[in-house]
Amino acid sequence: AKFVQVPILHVNGDSPEACIAAIEFAFAYRQQFGEDVVVDIYCYRKYGHNEGDDPTATQPLLYRKIRKHPPVRQRYRDELITRGVLNAEQADQIASQYYTQLNAAFDRRKSIQAGDTLPQPDSINVFEPIATAVPLPTLQEIGRRITEVPAGFNIHPKVAEELKRRRQQVESPSSPVQWGTAEALAFGSLLLEKKPVRLTGQDSQRGTFNHRQAVLHDYETDSIYIPLNHISPGQERIHIYNSPLSEYAVLGYEYGYSAIRTRGLTLWEAQFGDFANGAQIVIDQFIASGEQKWGQVSNLVLLLPHGYDGQGPEHSSARLERYLQLCGDENMFVCFLTTPAQLFHALRRQVHAPWRKPLVLMTPKGYLRKVQSPLQELAQGRFHEILDDNTIADPARVERVILCSGMFYYELLSERARNGSDHTVALVRVEQLYPLALDQLERVLSRYPNANEIVWAQEEPMNMGAWAFIMEQLLPLLRNGRKLYYAGRPRAASPATGSFLVHNQEQASVLASAFGRLEPIAGC
């Protein structure tokens, strides 16, 4: 506090009236001057680090004094009686009334939800299709409105080109929609439905890879304009903030926000996916386990850029394996999507589903402008946990099914075309890794009666990515002579190599192995 030169108020914790005065002064200061202020309360810890601890083993003299020291409430009660403010009977009556209020509030909390929250249904089917499509005219109107700027607004030339491309992507039902546009259409459609949207993260206003450009800056004056907040009168608003590299603090705040405002959409985006390790406590203690521990639901979305593009070990992996290890009891969704349409429907599902679950999304980096979906898929489709290979004309000719997730699918697709195995190898995408739609996956595999080779292909090392999780899940599906194979990098201590040359060699080797001769996993 001294470093940032803000007022510091020191106050005795044994004096409730002095504490109230200090807090009121601090609040008034903050409101009037818009600056920070610190209240430093001098007090003591009545017990050790918890109520069952005995601190006298290490601090005997201090805690001998504390145990003789009258508690704050007792001291203040006696002071008020001495001053003639109230008598002992009145003091006991106040205490009794307060305890009654607390118990009544606790009982109400068990049966009444806050006005802005959505109760969790008793019976949940997380694979139930959710209606998330938006009429084509609505999508096109959103697309037009979010690519307009006010008269006299000096937009950056490169951003102007991005808006021009985005408008072209909503011109017709067959127009190819890119990742950033699909996200913007999802946000805009929710805002029109009066569902608030909130997004925070480093560089989230423009997107780490310049794919979002949700907050426009005047090239001359630096004033800002947010097109998503100007689609239609009466719409809800999007609140989007750039945050500092304090992932623990920011994600903790957003989790709490999402737990209260579950009727809207709250998202946190890491600048790169592995930055989330700075908030691992929030992920472990709250996001993954809050529902089971406390019945606390949240539909918070984590956007974690992930993908191997030769940029080194620090920004390649969002540590997909860690999130899958935290999965159980249908506590959250973990998805590694391949199309903008899937992103659109996944985000809208977070708000329109009758349940509330956190969603962990591995998002693209280099593929943000390469992957496309027809606009029609946003207007008529829905979210799909599994995407079958719709290029296979004769399923009976397929000898190998390669299962994969994320943008690595497109590299496998290119490799298949190069080696000429389009008719004998099917590429099936597992879009939602958890909860895994095993029934759907079994139905897809049954389409290929002669495919006895089931390969899981990933670009991460064997001890990372989805392999350890998916292998166990796939074992029940290995019937009728099916064998399971792994195609990916070998085990490694580092997520990726630091050499671009070595990365390319590794990537080529993994792609070749996915279509080449493999040794089946022992016991499968």
Side-chain angles (χ1 to χ4, degrees):
K2 289 182 178 179
F3 176 77
V4 295
Q5 296 185 345
V6 301
I8 307 172
L9 282 70
H10 305 282
V11 60
N12 184 354
D14 265 348
S15 176
E17 293 181 1
C19 290
I20 289 174
I23 293 296
E24 288 180 340
F25 177 89
F27 183 77
Y29 181 91
R30 199 279 307 270
Q31 293 300 95
Q32 180 168 342
F33 299 109
E35 295 183 356
D36 292 336
V37 57
V38 172
V39 177
D40 178 23
I41 303 179
Y42 277 75
C43 49
Y44 58 91
R45 198 171 197 166
K46 186 175 182 180
Y47 302 103
H49 68 272
N50 62 54
E51 288 81 353
D53 181 44
D54 182 4
T56 59
T58 54
Q59 295 175 292
L61 298 182
L62 173 63
Y63 275 90
R64 195 173 299 159
K65 291 180 179 179
I66 289 175
R67 287 181 178 174
K68 293 179 179 179
H69 191 77
V72 177
R73 188 173 70 87
Q74 181 65 44
R75 289 173 61 94
Y76 191 51
R77 174 185 183 274
D78 294 345
E79 179 184 341
L80 292 177
I81 292 174
T82 301
R83 286 158 47 183
V85 176
L86 76 171
N87 56 43
E89 183 180 352
Q90 291 172 321
D92 293 339
Q93 184 179 8
I94 290 173
S96 176
Q97 290 174 346
Y98 185 62
Y99 282 122
T100 300
Q101 290 176 358
L102 291 177
N103 288 325
F106 180 75
D107 292 338
R108 284 197 307 273
R109 182 62 182 87
K110 291 188 291 185
S111 59
I112 300 176
Q113 296 288 330
D116 202 25
T117 61
L118 189 72
Q120 195 87 330
D122 295 331
S123 178
I124 298 174
N125 176 11
V126 294
F127 300 114
E128 177 185 355
I130 306 298
T132 53
V134 174
L136 184 63
T138 303
L139 292 174
Q140 292 179 314
E141 177 62 16
I142 295 171
R144 284 190 290 267
R145 297 295 295 169
I146 65 175
T147 54
E148 295 176 348
V149 295
F153 191 90
N154 303 293
I155 190 168
H156 192 287
K158 291 183 179 179
V159 178
E161 285 298 315
E162 177 65 29
L163 296 186
K164 180 180 178 181
R165 288 191 294 269
R166 194 162 289 184
R167 175 172 287 230
Q168 292 171 347
Q169 293 171 39
V170 297
E171 288 180 347
S172 70
S174 60
S175 297
V177 174
Q178 295 177 350
W179 194 271
T181 306
E183 180 192 76
L185 293 174
F187 291 165
S189 62
L190 290 172
L191 296 174
L192 288 182
E193 295 164 355
K194 300 189 184 301
K195 309 292 186 182
V197 178
R198 175 184 173 86
L199 169 63
T200 57
Q202 299 98 11
D203 287 333
S204 284
Q205 293 183 343
R206 68 163 193 176
T208 300
F209 311 99
N210 291 297
H211 73 286
R212 182 170 292 121
Q213 300 297 353
V215 178
L216 307 181
H217 291 257
D218 189 292
Y219 200 38
E220 302 293 337
T221 67
D222 202 29
S223 62
I224 66 171
Y225 179 73
I226 304 175
L228 280 164
N229 285 335
H230 299 276
I231 302 172
S232 175
Q235 68 168 83
E236 259 290 357
R237 295 177 61 82
I238 185 172
H239 298 275
I240 178 167
Y241 303 106
N242 290 337
S243 64
L245 288 170
S246 300
E247 292 84 3
Y248 178 41
V250 178
L251 185 56
Y253 184 91
E254 299 308 329
Y255 172 79
Y257 190 96
S258 70
I260 297 300
R261 203 164 198 184
T262 56
R263 294 186 186 275
L265 182 65
T266 305
L267 310 97
W268 175 76
E269 182 176 54
Q271 192 169 51
F272 288 88
D274 49 356
F275 282 29
N277 60 14
Q280 199 67 42
I281 296 171
V282 178
I283 295 165
D284 293 348
Q285 302 296 99
F286 296 91
I287 294 173
S289 57
E291 182 179 353
Q292 189 169 75
K293 289 194 291 189
W294 313 301
Q296 179 67 71
V297 300
S298 161
N299 63 341
L300 179 66
V301 178
L302 273 62
L303 303 175
L304 307 177
H306 174 93
Y308 282 52
D309 46 18
Q311 298 302 305
E314 305 311 327
H315 295 328
S316 294
S317 175
R319 295 291 189 174
L320 172 61
E321 64 278 0
R322 292 182 180 173
Y323 298 95
L324 293 174
Q325 190 179 41
L326 291 170
C327 290
D329 298 312
E330 296 181 346
N331 60 330
M332 59 184 179
F333 292 92
V334 178
C335 295
F336 200 177
L337 309 177
T338 59
T339 72
Q342 284 283 83
L343 172 72
F344 176 86
H345 294 297
L347 293 178
R348 287 181 52 80
R349 182 180 67 162
Q350 284 298 101
V351 177
H352 286 279
W355 30 255
R356 290 294 178 264
K357 304 279 184 182
L359 168 61
V360 178
L361 271 180
M362 303 289 116
T363 58
K365 297 184 292 181
Y367 279 84
L368 281 164
R369 292 175 178 82
K370 296 178 182 178
V371 294
Q372 300 174 345
S373 296
L375 181 63
Q376 193 66 41
E377 289 188 6
L378 282 60
Q380 293 183 344
R382 65 173 181 84
F383 180 77
H384 297 276
E385 290 85 0
I386 307 292
L387 288 179
D388 195 2
D389 194 335
N390 59 11
T391 68
I392 301 297
D394 185 2
R397 293 183 59 186
V398 172
E399 301 170 357
R400 173 177 290 190
V401 174
I402 297 179
L403 304 175
C404 63
S405 285
M407 297 299 118
F408 191 51
Y409 161 76
Y410 293 98
E411 296 187 45
L412 291 166
L413 194 64
S414 297
E415 178 66 15
R416 185 178 69 172
R418 189 193 67 80
N419 62 36
S421 57
D422 304 68
H423 303 295
T424 59
V425 177
L427 296 177
V428 175
R429 289 168 275 175
V430 181
E431 301 281 297
Q432 181 173 292
L433 288 157
Y434 187 85
L436 183 61
L438 281 173
D439 290 343
Q440 295 181 34
L441 189 54
E442 172 62 19
R443 286 196 295 272
V444 169
L445 293 178
S446 67
R447 283 192 61 231
Y448 308 104
N450 299 315
N452 292 327
E453 297 179 346
I454 310 300
V455 178
W456 175 260
Q458 65 177 40
E459 54 185 350
E460 302 90 348
M462 192 176 193
N463 56 319
M464 303 178 196
W467 167 244
F469 170 83
I470 204 76
M471 178 182 68
E472 182 181 0
Q473 301 290 315
L474 294 178
L475 292 178
L477 304 184
L478 299 181
R479 298 188 293 270
N480 304 321
R482 292 174 183 160
K483 296 289 185 181
L484 181 62
Y485 302 82
Y486 167 79
R489 285 171 169 78
R491 289 181 172 272
S494 174
T497 177
S499 165
F500 186 66
L501 175 64
V502 173
H503 161 79
N504 288 334
Q505 293 172 342
E506 291 179 348
Q507 202 80 347
S509 176
V510 171
L511 289 167
S513 69
F515 297 89
R517 182 178 177 83
L518 293 167
E519 290 296 323
I521 301 301
C524 295

